[in-house]
Amino acid sequence: MAQPSVDVAWNWLVANRGWLYAAVVLFGAWYAGNLLVRVFGRRIARRFQRPSVTRTVLRLVRTVTLFIGIFTAMGLIGVRITDIFISVTVFSAVLGLVLAPIVGSVVNGLFVLADQPYEIGDMVEFTQQGQRGFVEDITLRYTKIFTLDNTFLVIPNSVIRERDIINYSAEDERTRLSIDVGVTYESDVEEARKLVEDAATSVDGVIKSGPDIRIGSARFPSAPRCNIDQFGESSVDLRLRYWARDPYRLLKLRSNIQEAIWDRFRDTESVEIAYPHRHHVFDETSGDLSVRRESE
């Protein structure tokens, strides 16, 4: 009784063996791609020594292997590559609407990998938007940023190359920052400068001393320095320049320094933080002012 069913199943397999072979080829291509990545992954990483390039090469290995499997499977089921593009019009439409943006992103991705403006793990900031985060991944089509707000920002490489990017951890993670402080003209300015420098030195994360830090052909003191910036309308403006050890908590570091400055100014009588003052002067050209005094 079961013999006819077996014959039907066998005849169906024989009639559709091309699809069966295609499925086996696709699975084999997928497995081969993963196997090649496992076998040659470490060698490729040691060869390029850049996570972004290593990931890109491994993705290409998987993609090329899978495409070979797809084309082979299409041949097994009787589909020819030339059948996909029925006419020049269809080919042009596909090229213009689909392939052109992809090719543009891929080309820009190659430029990003070649120029090395940032690497996976670097902390970057987009100056126009003020967004800051860590580079999570770099592909040929896009760059993925993990922002400090715990969100992902995915930017096409064709766009990201047109943006101004600050890389805080490209080679030397030490970052030079500044804080402006205004004191009154009656304050002891030299004492104020010393208090500001001491406040910055007392905060963890600030480089306190050491040899000068070289940037290009210039050298800058590594310890915090406070100088007179300008004489303002209501204050003597001081500017503190200091070096942060790492760029990952700059806002917290800045807040800690300002708290330390506030505590030191509050504990001394010779220095006072300035705030705007306005004096109204009345003379014979000012007209009349009506004043009424209420009795107690």
Side-chain angles (χ1 to χ4, degrees), residues 176-183 188-201 206-208 221-230 236-243 257 261 264-265 271:
R176 195 183 190 199
L177 303 169
S178 64
I179 294 178
D180 295 328
V181 181
V183 299
D188 186 340
V189 176
E190 289 302 319
E191 179 68 14
R193 293 173 59 188
K194 184 177 183 304
L195 291 175
V196 171
E197 292 176 355
D198 292 343
T201 304
V206 176
I207 298 178
K208 299 173 176 54
S222 57
R225 290 289 184 269
C226 183
N227 300 299
I228 298 176
D229 183 35
Q230 65 178 353
V236 178
D237 297 331
L238 308 179
R239 173 162 295 181
L240 169 69
R241 302 301 300 268
Y242 64 95
W243 289 91
I257 294 174
I261 293 173
R264 281 164 173 74
F265 281 5
V271 178

Side-chain angles (χ1 to χ4, degrees), residues 148-165:
L148 300 185
D149 297 326
N150 198 30
T151 58
F152 274 116
L153 183 64
V154 179
I155 305 176
N157 291 328
S158 58
V159 176
I160 201 169
R161 292 189 66 239
E162 300 175 357
R163 300 191 180 188
D164 295 332
I165 301 177

Side-chain angles (χ1 to χ4, degrees), residues 64-82:
V64 170
T65 305
L66 186 59
F67 267 100
I68 292 175
I70 291 174
F71 292 145
T72 303
M74 291 172 63
L76 292 174
I77 61 177
V79 177
R80 294 178 298 176
I81 303 300
T82 55

Side-chain angles (χ1 to χ4, degrees), residues 7-19:
D7 293 339
V8 171
W10 175 255
N11 293 332
W12 183 88
L13 289 175
V14 172
N16 296 277
R17 60 182 181 275
W19 290 93

Side-chain angles (χ1 to χ4, degrees), residues 121-122 168-176 244-248:
D122 286 352
Y168 287 97
S169 51
E171 296 180 359
D172 190 344
E173 292 187 343
R174 295 176 298 183
T175 306
R176 195 183 190 199
R245 294 187 183 278
D246 59 68
Y248 308 121

